[in-house]
């Protein structure tokens, strides 16, 4: 299903796909994670508002959970998020939701940002960081942070080995892509892709890494929600 949001619908060079269609099983509440309460409004509102007000973003497509398209559209209206072109129904896996949203991106788009609604605290500084390498020959860019914990490979509860974390990072969103590179990547098998950059990597594309942001933590559990709420209140 595709629902026009009533936004201006004007195209631009840089599009943002805001994926919010997950069930949020690990949050264990009575509604999808995107509609969990964060400071009194739906979690989705925070990233939607920030992307809409970003000077780097021209147009937005939201991927909403099945049956939650109308609440998503109402939210865009409440926020006066006029860059939202449409709210589409997400798919079974995250990559399916990204693909569904990407179908509404116009052919003349140059750059596509893909962002998890589960990371509410997106800001212009990280958007600027992920966009920069696209002008230097990269197909995609991920914001990432070093992994603070010791990392171990395990099998059925037993440690197989300790993995050097020196060259490991944790990838966040927003991730930025040249639109044609993302289009090519979606022509391939999407299974097992937990982020879009991995699709580009598998298609042989060049993906740069830039500094992420600790505030871009992903809300997964109730404790994460409380943490983001505290960060939001202190900012
Ligand atoms: N997502 C999506 N469509 C899916 C699965 C995930 O749009 N089929 C989005 C989520 O809404 C979230 C982001 O991808 O913004 C990251 O996914 P995750 O944190 O795993 O969220 P959920 O899948 O909703 O949570 P859980 O895995 O606990 O069910
Ligand atoms: Mg998930």
């Amino acid at each position: 299903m595709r629902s026009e949001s009533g936004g201006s619908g004007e195209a631009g060079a840089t599009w943002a796909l805001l994926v919010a269609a997950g069930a949020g099983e690990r949050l264990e509440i009575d509604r999808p994670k995107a509609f969990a309460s964060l400071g009194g409004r739906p979690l989705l509102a925070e990233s939607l508002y920030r992307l809409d007000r970003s000077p780097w973003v021209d147009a937005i497509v939201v991927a909403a959970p099945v049956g939650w398209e109308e609440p998503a559209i109402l939210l865009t209206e409440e926020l006066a998020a006029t860059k939202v072109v449409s709210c589409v129904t997400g798919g079974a896996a995250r990559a399916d939701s990204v693909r569904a949203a990407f179908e509404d991106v116009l052919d003349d788009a140059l750059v596509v940002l893909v962002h998890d609604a589960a990371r509410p605290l997106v800001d212009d500084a990280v958007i600027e960081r992920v966009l920069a390498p696209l002008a230097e020959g990269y197909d995609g860019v991920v914001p990432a942070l070093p992994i603070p914990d010791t990392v171990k490979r395990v099998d059925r509860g037993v440690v197989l080995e300790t993995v050097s974390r020196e060259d490991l990072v944790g990838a966040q969103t927003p991730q930025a892509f040249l639109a044609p590179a993302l289009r090519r990547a979606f022509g391939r098998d999407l299974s097992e892709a937990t982020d879009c950059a991995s699709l580009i990597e598998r298609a042989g594309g060049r993906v740069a890494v830039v500094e992420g942001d600790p505030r871009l933590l992903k809300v997964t559990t109730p404790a994460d929600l409380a943490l983001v709420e505290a960060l939001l209140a202190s900012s």
Side-chain angles (χ1 to χ4, degrees), residues 19-27 33 91-94 97 116-118 218-219:
V19 287
E25 278 172 18
R26 289 168 288 182
L27 202 54
K33 179 155 71 183
R94 182 184 182 278
S97 298
D116 293 332
K218 184 159 68 99
V219 171

Side-chain angles (χ1 to χ4, degrees), residues 159-174:
V159 174
L160 296 180
E161 61 170 334
T162 298
V163 183
S164 165
R165 64 179 181 211
E166 250 171 53
D167 55 358
L168 294 180
V169 292
Q172 303 178 316
T173 75

